[in-house]
Amino acid sequence: QVQLVESGGGLVQPGGSLRLSCAASGFYFSRYGMSWHRQAPGKQRELVAAITSAGGTTNYADSVKGRFTISRDNVKKTVYLQMNSLKPEDTAVYYCYAVLPGYSGGYWGQGTQVTVSS
């Protein structure tokens, strides 16, 4: 059974920080590119950050660049999203996604809620 389990979401004040984790099992994690996506109510799901299978290359949405950092630990089979200087506009359900390079489709996690509010 392929599983991606996100954790670390919650309620935080503007300017605060959270670290999201996504624990993977049931597939060859170290061969997969990983990414974080988010979806706010009434909006489309959008890519937040992505990292290559070996962790050598990352990319970010312009809206989070300089504030968020994606990383991975291929021994622990976990991908992280460090979120700093959080804004109310960051409020969304955050999902992790795994995909093999060159293949369409992949695996989604169940999502974790992040709410930024004073």
Side-chain angles (χ1 to χ4, degrees), residues 47-64:
L47 175 69
V48 175
I51 188 167
T52 53
S53 59
T57 302
T58 59
N59 63 78
Y60 300 90
D62 288 343
S63 59
V64 307

PDB file of all heavy atoms in Angstrom, residues 47-64:
ATOM      1  N   LEU A  47       1.099  24.435  -7.214  1.00  0.00           N
ATOM      2  CA  LEU A  47       2.410  23.963  -6.798  1.00  0.00           C
ATOM      3  C   LEU A  47       3.056  24.993  -5.885  1.00  0.00           C
ATOM      4  O   LEU A  47       3.098  26.182  -6.204  1.00  0.00           O
ATOM      5  CB  LEU A  47       3.291  23.720  -8.018  1.00  0.00           C
ATOM      6  CG  LEU A  47       4.746  23.334  -7.732  1.00  0.00           C
ATOM      7  CD1 LEU A  47       4.830  21.948  -7.117  1.00  0.00           C
ATOM      8  CD2 LEU A  47       5.575  23.397  -9.014  1.00  0.00           C
ATOM      9  N   VAL A  48       3.576  24.530  -4.766  1.00  0.00           N
ATOM     10  CA  VAL A  48       4.274  25.381  -3.819  1.00  0.00           C
ATOM     11  C   VAL A  48       5.781  25.228  -3.946  1.00  0.00           C
ATOM     12  O   VAL A  48       6.522  26.211  -4.020  1.00  0.00           O
ATOM     13  CB  VAL A  48       3.828  25.079  -2.375  1.00  0.00           C
ATOM     14  CG1 VAL A  48       4.646  25.885  -1.369  1.00  0.00           C
ATOM     15  CG2 VAL A  48       2.341  25.363  -2.209  1.00  0.00           C
ATOM     16  N   ALA A  49       6.258  23.984  -3.949  1.00  0.00           N
ATOM     17  CA  ALA A  49       7.688  23.711  -3.994  1.00  0.00           C
ATOM     18  C   ALA A  49       7.912  22.301  -4.509  1.00  0.00           C
ATOM     19  O   ALA A  49       7.067  21.421  -4.333  1.00  0.00           O
ATOM     20  CB  ALA A  49       8.318  23.872  -2.608  1.00  0.00           C
ATOM     21  N   ALA A  50       9.062  22.073  -5.139  1.00  0.00           N
ATOM     22  CA  ALA A  50       9.401  20.761  -5.659  1.00  0.00           C
ATOM     23  C   ALA A  50      10.875  20.487  -5.453  1.00  0.00           C
ATOM     24  O   ALA A  50      11.687  21.417  -5.383  1.00  0.00           O
ATOM     25  CB  ALA A  50       9.050  20.660  -7.143  1.00  0.00           C
ATOM     26  N   ILE A  51      11.221  19.207  -5.366  1.00  0.00           N
ATOM     27  CA  ILE A  51      12.599  18.795  -5.158  1.00  0.00           C
ATOM     28  C   ILE A  51      12.862  17.522  -5.944  1.00  0.00           C
ATOM     29  O   ILE A  51      12.016  16.625  -5.998  1.00  0.00           O
ATOM     30  CB  ILE A  51      12.893  18.625  -3.644  1.00  0.00           C
ATOM     31  CG1 ILE A  51      14.380  18.375  -3.392  1.00  0.00           C
ATOM     32  CG2 ILE A  51      12.029  17.514  -3.045  1.00  0.00           C
ATOM     33  CD1 ILE A  51      14.759  18.527  -1.913  1.00  0.00           C
ATOM     34  N   THR A  52      14.017  17.427  -6.568  1.00  0.00           N
ATOM     35  CA  THR A  52      14.371  16.258  -7.358  1.00  0.00           C
ATOM     36  C   THR A  52      14.676  15.075  -6.452  1.00  0.00           C
ATOM     37  O   THR A  52      14.828  15.199  -5.240  1.00  0.00           O
ATOM     38  CB  THR A  52      15.568  16.555  -8.267  1.00  0.00           C
ATOM     39  OG1 THR A  52      16.644  17.080  -7.482  1.00  0.00           O
ATOM     40  CG2 THR A  52      15.191  17.554  -9.347  1.00  0.00           C
ATOM     41  N   SER A  53      14.795  13.890  -7.069  1.00  0.00           N
ATOM     42  CA  SER A  53      14.898  12.656  -6.298  1.00  0.00           C
ATOM     43  C   SER A  53      16.103  12.625  -5.368  1.00  0.00           C
ATOM     44  O   SER A  53      16.012  12.096  -4.256  1.00  0.00           O
ATOM     45  CB  SER A  53      14.925  11.451  -7.237  1.00  0.00           C
ATOM     46  OG  SER A  53      16.017  11.525  -8.144  1.00  0.00           O
ATOM     47  N   ALA A  54      17.220  13.183  -5.813  1.00  0.00           N
ATOM     48  CA  ALA A  54      18.421  13.214  -4.993  1.00  0.00           C
ATOM     49  C   ALA A  54      18.509  14.465  -4.127  1.00  0.00           C
ATOM     50  O   ALA A  54      19.438  14.586  -3.322  1.00  0.00           O
ATOM     51  CB  ALA A  54      19.668  13.108  -5.860  1.00  0.00           C
ATOM     52  N   GLY A  55      17.578  15.376  -4.299  1.00  0.00           N
ATOM     53  CA  GLY A  55      17.556  16.589  -3.497  1.00  0.00           C
ATOM     54  C   GLY A  55      18.458  17.694  -3.997  1.00  0.00           C
ATOM     55  O   GLY A  55      18.638  18.699  -3.298  1.00  0.00           O
ATOM     56  N   GLY A  56      19.003  17.543  -5.205  1.00  0.00           N
ATOM     57  CA  GLY A  56      19.965  18.506  -5.697  1.00  0.00           C
ATOM     58  C   GLY A  56      19.375  19.762  -6.303  1.00  0.00           C
ATOM     59  O   GLY A  56      20.081  20.764  -6.442  1.00  0.00           O
ATOM     60  N   THR A  57      18.117  19.716  -6.684  1.00  0.00           N
ATOM     61  CA  THR A  57      17.473  20.844  -7.328  1.00  0.00           C
ATOM     62  C   THR A  57      16.120  21.092  -6.690  1.00  0.00           C
ATOM     63  O   THR A  57      15.365  20.149  -6.438  1.00  0.00           O
ATOM     64  CB  THR A  57      17.296  20.598  -8.833  1.00  0.00           C
ATOM     65  OG1 THR A  57      18.566  20.343  -9.432  1.00  0.00           O
ATOM     66  CG2 THR A  57      16.664  21.812  -9.510  1.00  0.00           C
ATOM     67  N   THR A  58      15.826  22.350  -6.426  1.00  0.00           N
ATOM     68  CA  THR A  58      14.528  22.738  -5.880  1.00  0.00           C
ATOM     69  C   THR A  58      13.953  23.881  -6.697  1.00  0.00           C
ATOM     70  O   THR A  58      14.682  24.612  -7.368  1.00  0.00           O
ATOM     71  CB  THR A  58      14.635  23.180  -4.419  1.00  0.00           C
ATOM     72  OG1 THR A  58      15.539  24.287  -4.316  1.00  0.00           O
ATOM     73  CG2 THR A  58      15.146  22.044  -3.540  1.00  0.00           C
ATOM     74  N   ASN A  59      12.641  24.026  -6.649  1.00  0.00           N
ATOM     75  CA  ASN A  59      12.015  25.204  -7.219  1.00  0.00           C
ATOM     76  C   ASN A  59      10.781  25.556  -6.400  1.00  0.00           C
ATOM     77  O   ASN A  59      10.206  24.706  -5.719  1.00  0.00           O
ATOM     78  CB  ASN A  59      11.696  25.043  -8.712  1.00  0.00           C
ATOM     79  CG  ASN A  59      10.704  23.943  -8.999  1.00  0.00           C
ATOM     80  OD1 ASN A  59       9.495  24.120  -8.806  1.00  0.00           O
ATOM     81  ND2 ASN A  59      11.195  22.813  -9.483  1.00  0.00           N
ATOM     82  N   TYR A  60      10.391  26.833  -6.484  1.00  0.00           N
ATOM     83  CA  TYR A  60       9.343  27.367  -5.630  1.00  0.00           C
ATOM     84  C   TYR A  60       8.411  28.271  -6.405  1.00  0.00           C
ATOM     85  O   TYR A  60       8.813  28.922  -7.373  1.00  0.00           O
ATOM     86  CB  TYR A  60       9.952  28.183  -4.488  1.00  0.00           C
ATOM     87  CG  TYR A  60      10.875  27.402  -3.592  1.00  0.00           C
ATOM     88  CD1 TYR A  60      12.236  27.325  -3.860  1.00  0.00           C
ATOM     89  CD2 TYR A  60      10.380  26.743  -2.482  1.00  0.00           C
ATOM     90  CE1 TYR A  60      13.079  26.600  -3.040  1.00  0.00           C
ATOM     91  CE2 TYR A  60      11.220  26.013  -1.659  1.00  0.00           C
ATOM     92  CZ  TYR A  60      12.566  25.947  -1.940  1.00  0.00           C
ATOM     93  OH  TYR A  60      13.395  25.227  -1.122  1.00  0.00           O
ATOM     94  N   ALA A  61       7.173  28.316  -5.962  1.00  0.00           N
ATOM     95  CA  ALA A  61       6.256  29.327  -6.465  1.00  0.00           C
ATOM     96  C   ALA A  61       6.760  30.704  -6.052  1.00  0.00           C
ATOM     97  O   ALA A  61       7.334  30.875  -4.973  1.00  0.00           O
ATOM     98  CB  ALA A  61       4.856  29.093  -5.912  1.00  0.00           C
ATOM     99  N   ASP A  62       6.535  31.690  -6.915  1.00  0.00           N
ATOM    100  CA  ASP A  62       6.983  33.044  -6.603  1.00  0.00           C
ATOM    101  C   ASP A  62       6.415  33.551  -5.279  1.00  0.00           C
ATOM    102  O   ASP A  62       7.074  34.302  -4.560  1.00  0.00           O
ATOM    103  CB  ASP A  62       6.594  34.001  -7.728  1.00  0.00           C
ATOM    104  CG  ASP A  62       7.422  33.808  -8.985  1.00  0.00           C
ATOM    105  OD1 ASP A  62       8.499  33.184  -8.911  1.00  0.00           O
ATOM    106  OD2 ASP A  62       6.993  34.290 -10.042  1.00  0.00           O
ATOM    107  N   SER A  63       5.211  33.138  -4.950  1.00  0.00           N
ATOM    108  CA  SER A  63       4.546  33.635  -3.761  1.00  0.00           C
ATOM    109  C   SER A  63       5.195  33.169  -2.462  1.00  0.00           C
ATOM    110  O   SER A  63       4.969  33.776  -1.411  1.00  0.00           O
ATOM    111  CB  SER A  63       3.072  33.224  -3.766  1.00  0.00           C
ATOM    112  OG  SER A  63       2.939  31.814  -3.809  1.00  0.00           O
ATOM    113  N   VAL A  64       5.998  32.103  -2.517  1.00  0.00           N
ATOM    114  CA  VAL A  64       6.618  31.577  -1.303  1.00  0.00           C
ATOM    115  C   VAL A  64       8.134  31.647  -1.337  1.00  0.00           C
ATOM    116  O   VAL A  64       8.786  31.335  -0.331  1.00  0.00           O
ATOM    117  CB  VAL A  64       6.182  30.124  -1.022  1.00  0.00           C
ATOM    118  CG1 VAL A  64       4.663  30.010  -1.026  1.00  0.00           C
ATOM    119  CG2 VAL A  64       6.794  29.156  -2.028  1.00  0.00           C
TER     120      VAL A  64
END
